[in-house]
Every structure is written in structure tokens, then in C-alpha cells.
Amino acid sequence: MNNFISNWLRPDIKAINAYHVPPSDDMVKLDAMESPFPLPDALIEQYLAYLANVELNRYPSPNASELQQTLYQLMDIPADFGMLLGNGSDELIQLLALACDTGDSILSVEPSFVMYQIIAKFTRLNYHGVELNENFEIDLPAMLLAIETHQPKLIFIAYPNNPTGNTFDRAAIEQIITSTSAMVVLDEAYYAYADDSFLGDIAKYPNLVLLRTVSKIGFAGLRLGLLIGTQDTVAALDKLRLPYNINTLTQVSANFLLKEKDEINKNAQIILKQRTKLSSALDAINGLQVYPSQANFLLFKAPSAHKLFAFLKANGVLIKDLSTAPKLTDCLRVTVGNAEQNQHFINLVKCFYD
Ligand SMILES: *Cc1c(COP(=O)(O)O)cnc(C)c1O
């Protein structure tokens, strides 16, 4: 780092390791929970015609109300809940952190989605992570104690959890919600692949909000996430949203593409079938342990995990190496791809252990 920026930068930011996205050109990309499905050919011409009418000389619609309606439909969200859109759900995590006061704390579980902690650092909030137990379940007594001790302002719970893939015990989460004056944020990034959701519980718990995203259902490139909560909560948080945070190309594209509810649901069903197949195939390999998943990825424990990761990478398949992460010794995470990608991956894993 040159002298100017080194002297200029906040010391705590200087100390952070940048969020690393590995290069993936020409690789089979099974590392980031993206959907393997491209836009259907039949839609492309119509989509381009729709885009041709866009007025890029104008600012976007300020609250993207047309797109909001499309999202209410796509995700069956009751009309009396409020919705706040973000440039990815990451932006909404940041917005929630910005709503906190100096000295406030964010609470989550470990291991979970790393952005909760990273954003806490950016915004100078305290962060506390309560370790999950051996089955990757919430340690409820430890969580309740942490709530008591730290009096958090925000509690993030990914449901299903990333990187472990499970949904936590519903009763434990309900007890957390009712034991705190914090806003409890259930991050349902993987809702399309899960058996359960807290969408129906928003009316019951005033301190509950949900995050969702279109990133894991086929549209990671759009950068579009949503927060769902009561109208009052959403109206208050909306003050912190930057004007025009959802650009016109995202609004128009999402509004067109997310109307294809049947296609999106069909693709999710394919991923669920592939998840079952991939899980059995991995489980059948001697020495591997696959964890149950409610998401579009699988976490598995493998002998010489880091070497397996390197072998896959050398052979053009990129997954996520968690083998040195706390509580995840020898664990790797693979995104469920299409049938061909999954087979290719399995063949390489078998080859490695032969
Ligand atoms: C992928 C992921 C996100 C990020 O979603 P974006 O909308 O792409 O920013 C949020 N939360 C969890 C738990 C995730 O795994």
C-alpha cells in the first residue's frame, strides 16, 4: 500500500482481508450457489424488445413499484406486508447495520454467512457469533445467554443456513424472537429449496423481518434482494435507502424475467432432484460424510479435503474450500449444478479417492 492511502485509511479497515472472489474463467462453477440455468431461448427475443424501450436518460422508478408487485406474486407475499428492495440482499444487511447506533451489537451464529460480521466491521458495530453445536443446530441456552449479555440490536439467522445447509429448529428461533428486543432478521436466501419459511410469522412478531434474494434462483447477475416486514418497519427503514438504488436495467429485466414463475419453480424442482442424487452419490463414496441440506448446495466432510479441493480445481471444477474454517475441519461446499456438471464433479471425486 502506498503511503498516502496507508496513512489515510481507517486502521480497522486496513486490517480487514478483502472479500476474496476466486478467478473462475472457463471453470465449472460450483462455488457460489448460482443457478446453472441460462435464460430460456424462447424468451430472449421478447426480453430484448422489452429492454429496447428503456429510457436510460431518465432516473429509475424511485421505489420500483412495478417490480415490487412482480415479487409479491413470485414469492406469494401477503399484500399487507411491506417490501424494501436492495442491490442484492447484501445491501439490505448494510442498511440494517446503518440503522444501528454507535456501540450497538449484532448477534449471529457461527459458522454462518460471513457478510454479517464483515458489515458489522464496516459500520463499526460490535459483532458476537454464538457457536452452533455439533449438529449445526442453534445452541439455544448459549444464544439466550448472549442475548442477555450483549443486548444486541440486530440478530441475523440464515434460514436455511449457509454454509451448513440446514434449517434450524423452528421452536428455538421462535424463542429467540420472543426473548429479545432486537430486530430478528431471518435471511431466507435459499427459500426456494427449503421446506419451511417464516413468511407467515411476520404478522405474529413485530420484531421479525425476512430477507430474500433472486441470486439463488437464477438471477445472481441482477443484484436484487428484498426485505419483507410490517408496513411500519419497512417505511421507517426506507429512509436509509439511497435514492434509485435499483438501477433501471435491473428493474426492467427483473420485472420481465421474474414473471416467469412456472419456469423459475420448474428449475427449482430440478435442483431439488439433483440435490438428492448428488447427495446419495457423494454419500456412497467411502469416507465422505454429507450433511442434510435445505438449500441448493451440499456441505460434506472428506478425508484430505484441501487436496480434493485442489484436485478438482486443477481439473476445472471450482467448489468452496472450508477445510480450515472454525468448526468445519475437512469440510467442502458444493453448489448443486445441472445433471452434467454434477456427474462430472462426482466422477472427479471418485477418481481422487481411487
Ligand atoms: C448468497 C447469500 C446472500 C447474498 O445475497 P445477494 O442478494 O446476492 O446479496 C445473503 N444471505 C445468505 C445467507 C446467502 O447465502
Side-chain angles (χ1 to χ4, degrees):
M1 233 192 288
N2 75 38
N3 236 344
F4 164 71
I5 194 67
S6 173
N7 292 332
W8 181 89
L9 199 60
R10 262 167 56 188
D12 57 327
I13 300 294
K14 222 163 36 176
I16 293 175
N17 293 322
Y19 186 79
H20 176 63
V21 179
S24 58
D25 288 354
D26 300 321
M27 298 196 70
V28 177
K29 209 171 170 306
L30 300 176
D31 65 323
M33 284 73 88
E34 292 147 316
S35 158
F37 305 111
L39 293 187
D41 283 340
L43 275 184
I44 288 181
E45 212 169 305
Q46 222 184 327
Y47 171 50
L48 292 178
Y50 200 74
L51 278 184
N53 291 322
V54 163
E55 292 187 286
L56 288 179
N57 56 319
R58 303 292 177 197
Y59 279 108
S61 158
N63 54 3
S65 41
E66 206 181 329
L67 171 55
Q68 286 205 12
Q69 284 318 309
T70 304
L71 286 164
Y72 276 98
Q73 295 278 324
L74 174 69
M75 299 186 184
D76 299 310
I77 300 166
D80 54 337
F81 295 166
M83 181 188 293
L84 184 63
L85 301 185
N87 188 345
S89 43
D90 288 348
E91 189 191 32
L92 296 166
I93 298 167
Q94 179 182 263
L95 182 147
L96 290 165
L98 289 173
C100 292
D101 214 344
T102 312
D104 281 348
S105 292
I106 290 179
L107 186 69
S108 188
V109 297
E110 299 278 345
S112 188
F113 189 48
V114 293
M115 289 311 291
Y116 309 141
Q117 181 168 15
I118 293 174
I119 287 172
K121 282 190 180 157
F122 290 172
T123 53
R124 302 186 215 238
L125 296 172
N126 304 309
Y127 174 86
H128 304 280
V130 177
E131 282 198 13
L132 298 174
N133 71 21
E134 291 311 308
N135 306 318
F136 300 136
E137 258 305 332
I138 290 179
D139 180 344
L140 187 59
M143 197 73 181
L144 296 177
L145 181 64
I147 289 170
E148 181 75 28
T149 309
H150 304 297
Q151 297 288 319
K153 201 73 193 274
L154 277 172
I155 301 176
F156 285 101
I157 298 173
Y159 188 84
N161 190 36
N162 172 14
T164 59
N166 57 312
T167 46
F168 301 119
D169 179 51
R170 175 171 255 281
I173 293 178
E174 288 176 347
Q175 205 171 330
I176 289 166
I177 297 170
T178 53
S179 304
T180 180
S181 54
M183 183 182 290
V184 179
V185 185
L186 288 185
D187 183 346
E188 295 191 342
Y190 301 96
Y191 79 95
Y193 310 103
D195 294 338
D196 189 34
S197 162
F198 274 80
L199 184 60
D201 300 80
I202 289 172
K204 214 173 352 174
Y205 304 115
N207 59 333
L208 172 65
V209 300
L210 250 56
L211 291 179
R212 288 192 177 183
T213 174
V214 302
S215 295
K216 314 293 157 65
I217 58 167
F219 305 96
L222 288 178
R223 304 306 298 134
L224 179 65
L226 52 150
L227 179 148
I228 308 158
T230 65
Q231 302 271 10
D232 286 351
T233 298
V234 166
L237 292 172
D238 193 51
K239 294 189 205 173
L240 283 154
R241 191 173 57 85
L242 293 179
Y244 314 116
N245 66 328
I246 311 298
N247 74 74
T248 301
L249 291 175
T250 294
Q251 286 194 35
V252 170
S253 299
N255 195 43
F256 179 83
L257 298 168
L258 300 179
K259 287 210 171 81
E260 300 296 322
K261 190 172 176 172
D262 291 347
E263 175 81 16
I264 292 167
N265 289 341
K266 188 194 81 191
N267 285 342
Q269 290 307 310
I270 294 172
I271 293 296
L272 290 180
K273 284 215 183 80
Q274 287 296 321
R275 181 177 77 194
T276 306
K277 275 188 74 170
L278 184 61
S279 176
S280 318
L282 275 175
D283 214 34
I285 298 171
N286 228 336
L288 297 202
Q289 183 192 354
V290 187
Y291 294 95
S293 172
Q294 292 272 304
N296 65 338
F297 61 84
L298 293 171
L299 183 77
F300 63 102
K301 206 186 220 352
S304 314
H306 179 69
K307 284 193 178 132
L308 171 60
F309 170 79
F311 174 80
L312 289 164
K313 195 170 157 190
N315 284 280
V317 174
L318 188 63
I319 66 171
K320 178 81 175 175
D321 184 8
L322 298 162
S323 58
T324 59
K327 297 217 104 183
L328 296 172
T329 306
D330 275 337
C331 284
L332 302 173
R333 186 191 69 196
V334 61
T335 305
V336 179
N338 64 27
E340 189 192 349
Q341 293 168 331
N342 298 337
Q343 192 56 57
H344 183 55
F345 163 76
I346 285 291
N347 291 345
L348 285 171
V349 177
K350 282 184 183 156
C351 178
F352 176 77
Y353 287 110
D354 266 353

